Amino acid sequence: MFSISHVSFAALCAFLLSTSTSAASTCSTSLTPGNGVKPSVASGYQVALIATGLTKPRSISFDSAGNLLVLQQGAGIANLVFQDGGGTCLSVKSRRDVIKDKNLNHGLALSGDGNTLYASSSDAAYSWTYDPGNASIGGSRTTLVTGMDNDDHTTRTLLLSQKADGLLLVSRGSTSNIDAEASVLATGHSQIKAYNVSNITDGPYDFSRDGLRLGWGLRNSVGLAEHPDTGGIYSVENSVDEMRRNGKDIHQDNPGEELNFHGYLNGTTYTAQGSNYGYPGCFAAWKVDEIPNNSNLTVGSQFAIDNENGVDDAFCAQQIAPRITFQAHMAPLDIVFNDSGKEAWISFHGSWDRSSTVGYKLSVIPFSGGEPVAAPNNNTATTDILTNSNNSACPKQCLRPVGIAFDKQGRLFLSSDSTGEIYVVVRDQASTTTTTATSTSSTFSPRSSTSHAEKEQALYSAGVWAWGLNLHYLSFIKIDVPGLIKYPSRPSLPPQHRRTYRVAATATFPLVASIFLFWIITHGSPSLVIAWEILPQSYLFLLIIIFIIPFQQLSRTGRYWFLSILKRVSIGRIAEAHDGKFGDILLADVLTSYAKVLGDLFISACMFLSFGTSSTNKPDRSCGGQIIVPLIISVPSMIRLRQCLIEYSRVKKGPKSASSGWGGQHLANALKYSTAFPVIILSALQRGYDPTKIGMTETGLFRLWLFFVFLNSFYSFYWDVAKDWDLTLFSTTAERNSSEHPWGLRRHMHFHAKEVYYVAIIIDLMLRCTWSLKLSPHLDHFNDLEGGIFAMELLEVFRRFIWIFFRVETEWIRSNRGPPQDDIILANFMDRDGSSVSDKHSFRTSAVAFDDEPPYTESSPESQTPSSSSLPSLSPPPFSSLYFPPPSSPDSFRTALVEPDPPPEFCPGPSVEPTEVENPAATSFATSVESETKAALPKDTKGDSSHKGAEDGEPPPPYTEGSSPLDSFTYVMAATGGPTSIITQVQQGGGPPLNTLADVGADEQITLDLRGTRFVLSRDELLTLPEFVLLSLFPNGLLPDGQSNTFHDGDIYPVDYDPGSLQYMLDFFRNVAQTIPSSSPSPVAPSTENPTSSEASPGSARDMLHDRAGIIVLREDLDFYAIPPKAEIDQPEMIEVKRAAGKALLRQDGIFSGLRRSEESGTTEQHLIEMLTAGGFQHNDSWGHRASEPNKAVICSLALARLRTDIRGSDLANSSTFGMAQKLLLFWRKPARRCWWEGVELENVDGVEGKLKVWIRRVWTLEMVSGLPPAPPPPLHDISPFLLAPG
């Protein structure tokens, strides 16, 4: 049954999918132009209508927030926020009026910082303070320039210079078709001027009197632009209508519209700046043969209408001629350079004074070095990009371009005032602009600077590097990957990750070299790109040669091994477990991440081999037909599907057992891979959508595709987390919230911090929910952006890179750990087939539980055959509780580990003879509890290691694999008290030597990994810890015997010890050390007033405590055995009862609450309490640290107290308190233990009605140690552990 977490993760995945595909769904319902006819766009470009319903949109500009400002003539300025899916996939998300002013009619500009907004009316130019975040203005407007009111041409274009700070350019047109006043400078008619608006002090400028004149005699220069490199100022001029020359009507094709140059504002000298451009007497010729007396005229030449007032052709030849001349009456209204300055884009508003319409289009002019590429007399300088397919409905019912703006992605936005629309135009990544033969490359290369084959090949190289990193880090944390995948390794060879790096470098170097060589040779030239496209394609053949030719230096064995696996996997086969099944699974899963890469590589090769196309063009996904590419993309999923079915068949044919099951998990995994096929098929159908063949609307097809994307993505994410990584995120609530491991994770974790697992889960979720989108035709526009699809494919490679870490770690844990035998809660229960679960895992070695199997099980007997590369050393690692010996030596290992010379029996079981209970109500509680315990607990499987008789009623102790680490001590009777002493064992000689601590210098540091938490400690800090703690940390020494000289700086040693307990001790020691003065009296030392002998104290303790504080260390190991609360209870329910009992016991955190307190003096418990409270504890003290051990019915508690030093004066000699406290020095570096049993009834246990009967065994360990010596700041060592980041 799905839990809440299942639903929440499903919702998150759905949210990510809907967010990622929202743009695609919007594109499928794009807007329709008002006249129902979509404009025609040149080859290599895409166009989309993205906004409608505007009021005569004129100038447009993007603010610093990325939103589009639109000046609506007669209405004001609006702010449009787009829902952006990339490319042409945009829609208006919100619209807001920034300024409502019907007098604003055309001009619009923004300051460089985006915080000042400029606009114009027919008479004035204004500014406002602008907030792009809120799309609002602040304060009142400021009038900058005035005095421009006139008839006819009323638009006032504004341009804020980016090369000269604070200079605002303003263009003013004529007052009539032929304005005689324009010949008089003082009128200000038909002029372009610049004004410094950064320091206006005396009111607004007057256009006629003030400002820097850039040119005059310009009839109506509506469009203004500044070249982004040179700073040159250009304008586009609308020339006269109804022209006649020498009485002949020539107005159909004369005079031409003009592109004029006006010099610079950045200080560059231009001698003709401010000169006369001819109007109202001189005009530019366009169609020369229609002009009378044209013998000296060419396209662009200045000529006069009639020889009036001394203005003739000779006079006009002295005026500034246009740089480029356009067809008459096209009415250019805007000019904008792209970022590189290699293109000038011009909007032609269209004609009204001509029998056949012209204009109504968007065109581009190539530039080079800040100047047009075309000569002034060239009449083909422009290339039309966007046009009306039919101008018959113009000017009112057709595209009529006005304003142009580029966004940060280089997309061009265009306004159409007659229809109230905004369009977006996007160039295909590999398009070629059809311009004149002298044109140069634009901002976007005419063809891709690198072929698509190189991008896909780069992904293969990236995958090899990633695999090397996988191997490197996994070997660093002692995971034997070659052993898991059955790689034939040899000790004489370098580590596997180094050989992988070598192969990766060998594959990468030719790729990088070919890319740079390709760039150097082609320089972006379209013809050279086509001529040399074989260069990037040849790398694929080189890569194949590298793998096939037997170069000994390039890991020949490894390459042949890889090719043999690839050959087996490519047809869907899978090896047996002992032959490398896990390696087959890893490779096949990696291939699923490269499915799209394989498809794109085929497309690139197909285009390269096809006549009339180039592999450097935009990918033609129909190359090779509509079936081949989807089929190639499906192959990796087909491989894994067949492997799963083979595994299912093996299970069905093999011997039946509970460990192998019936194979359902293999079928479920096969189902997961089969969900990829609908995604691939529906993607292909959408790309070649044909309603006559499919019988479904495009929207319905998209929704069906989206459903399967969600199904495949969530199913795959669930499988990654729950099956491939064995995490409990999707398990039951009890398993997910278990105190034995971090929330949603698992008990055994090789990586150092739980946050690493959570981050991996989040990354996997996000990328699993988006991988399918690469197949969608709605995201083909990602190719419009350099590397769009490549980036998505690279993210999938990165996801697989992360996945491999955790998949291999999981396999290693399955192979080498399994459920530990000392697991009281989980071990020794009977499986469904009647066999003990612990028997199945007694001697696990390199057996592998594979991808499609339940965790901690084998699928076949062969999996228990050890690999030579994965056999563990016969010397146990630091913690034998995590070690499982090879089958060849179980007896020798058990003898060495479990059967040392037995320590004295120190903790007998309850002294109650087991009897058959005739009348439970009449018997004592202890007797009934013991009988119920015997009946409920499984048989003790320890053999003789516990040294108890078969008739002994003691339940199994917590350490079932070998004795407790504390058993390693040699115990003798205490020096005081004899057999009746409260302390029955005191260690006299110290623990066994820690065989490597001596190899670590006092100022050197050692890094410990305590269940995922790292501590960095010095040798002195380690030796300060209590003896029993050191032996718990290092029961077999810091390193196995024979390796005592192998300590390396930076090595990390895993330790199965509670990190919270160690942190508590270190914090306590640090706080005590900070309170010790430079010369401190010895604790409990007699004063000079009343000297008292301290000979009873050991000399070493007395000397050590002369300048250090004495610290009492008390530890309790509480083992509990819950009696089943009802007669019939199944295993899972009983486990929950034990966990609930543990939580109830955790709440009983008083140190002395567990002792049987008696008012009688002299009792054992009372004597112990008095000694500890005299030494430094209080009667009502709680344990400083108390926590349950993972997967054990054990609660470990720790309390520390500073030995009292306040017993002084005349009371010292007679004080019984002093005597009690002094006895604690007997335990200086000599840990002692006390053990006792009791039966209790717990109340308020979750899931249990009434009281729960529990047997409790308490083991107290007592030791005296000294704290750290005082040191002046800064301290030599900070004993606080340093929590390290993963890796």
Side-chain angles (χ1 to χ4, degrees), residues 748-934:
H748 294 301
M749 299 187 297
H750 253 73
F751 300 116
H752 310 303
K754 62 183 179 181
E755 290 79 10
V756 175
Y757 292 83
Y758 294 133
V759 170
I761 290 172
I762 294 172
I763 291 175
D764 193 74
L765 171 65
M766 295 177 65
L767 298 184
R768 273 295 191 186
C769 288
T770 57
W771 81 268
S772 303
L773 303 182
K774 299 192 300 291
L775 307 177
S776 172
H778 298 291
L779 294 190
D780 281 351
H781 60 258
F782 258 42
N783 282 311
D784 303 334
L785 308 177
E786 188 70 30
I789 292 292
F790 173 78
M792 296 188 70
E793 292 172 343
L794 188 62
L795 285 176
E796 173 60 18
V797 173
F798 174 73
R799 187 200 67 80
R800 184 62 64 181
F801 167 69
I802 298 297
W803 177 89
I804 286 176
F805 278 120
F806 296 90
R807 180 65 186 90
V808 174
E809 180 228 20
T810 302
E811 195 66 29
W812 180 254
I813 291 173
R814 293 176 182 176
S815 302
N816 293 281
R817 289 189 174 177
Q821 291 179 308
D822 60 351
D823 187 341
I824 289 179
I825 293 180
L826 299 180
N828 294 320
F829 280 100
M830 305 304 291
D831 207 339
R832 294 180 181 178
D833 60 355
S835 60
S836 172
V837 174
S838 63
D839 294 338
K840 297 178 182 179
H841 303 287
S842 295
F843 299 108
R844 300 176 61 95
T845 59
S846 60
V848 181
F850 291 104
D851 180 65
D852 306 324
E853 299 170 358
Y856 310 119
T857 63
E858 291 87 33
S859 64
S860 62
E862 303 94 272
S863 64
Q864 297 187 8
T865 304
S867 165
S868 61
S869 62
S870 61
L871 278 176
S873 170
L874 292 180
S875 299
F879 293 92
S880 57
S881 62
L882 302 180
Y883 178 75
F884 296 88
S888 59
S889 59
D891 295 334
S892 61
F893 177 76
R894 181 173 290 279
T895 301
L897 179 66
V898 183
E899 299 179 357
D901 293 333
E905 183 171 323
F906 61 91
C907 189
S911 56
V912 181
E913 291 294 326
T915 59
E916 184 175 352
V917 181
E918 299 291 342
N919 184 3
T923 59
S924 67
F925 169 73
T927 303
S928 64
V929 167
E930 181 184 359
S931 300
E932 293 171 15
T933 301
K934 281 189 171 184

Side-chain angles (χ1 to χ4, degrees), residues 382-459:
T382 62
T383 300
D384 297 340
I385 302 301
L386 191 65
T387 61
N388 290 291
S389 57
N390 185 348
N391 285 340
S392 61
C394 297
K396 294 184 178 180
Q397 296 297 322
C398 69
L399 170 72
R400 200 168 194 197
V402 182
I404 302 172
F406 284 98
D407 69 356
K408 294 179 180 179
Q409 298 182 33
R411 296 176 294 189
L412 185 147
F413 290 71
L414 179 70
S415 66
S416 171
D417 62 350
S418 65
T419 57
E421 299 168 338
I422 302 291
Y423 287 85
V424 62
V425 179
V426 176
R427 188 193 311 248
D428 292 340
Q429 183 176 352
S431 69
T432 302
T433 302
T434 306
T435 60
T436 62
T438 56
S439 67
T440 61
S441 61
S442 63
T443 300
F444 301 99
S445 300
R447 291 184 179 270
S448 179
S449 56
T450 58
S451 77
H452 304 287
E454 283 179 321
K455 295 175 183 177
E456 310 312 324
Q457 292 156 9
L459 289 170

Side-chain angles (χ1 to χ4, degrees), residues 93 98 153-154 218 290 372 393 428 500 549 570 619 633 648 662 693 738 771 797 840 1000 1068 1103 1124 1136 1153 1177 1209:
K93 183 178 180 181
V98 179
H153 300 124
T154 59
L218 299 161
E290 292 185 0
D428 292 340
T500 304
I549 293 182
S570 63
I633 295 175
Y648 171 74
W662 62 276
K693 296 180 179 179
S738 173
W771 81 268
V797 173
K840 297 178 182 179
V1000 184
F1068 189 94
D1103 295 341
E1136 294 303 318
S1153 62
F1177 287 96

Side-chain angles (χ1 to χ4, degrees), residues 560-573:
Y560 279 0
W561 175 83
F562 171 78
L563 290 174
S564 66
I565 290 184
L566 184 62
K567 178 181 178 181
R568 179 171 62 242
V569 167
S570 63
I571 57 176
R573 295 176 56 196

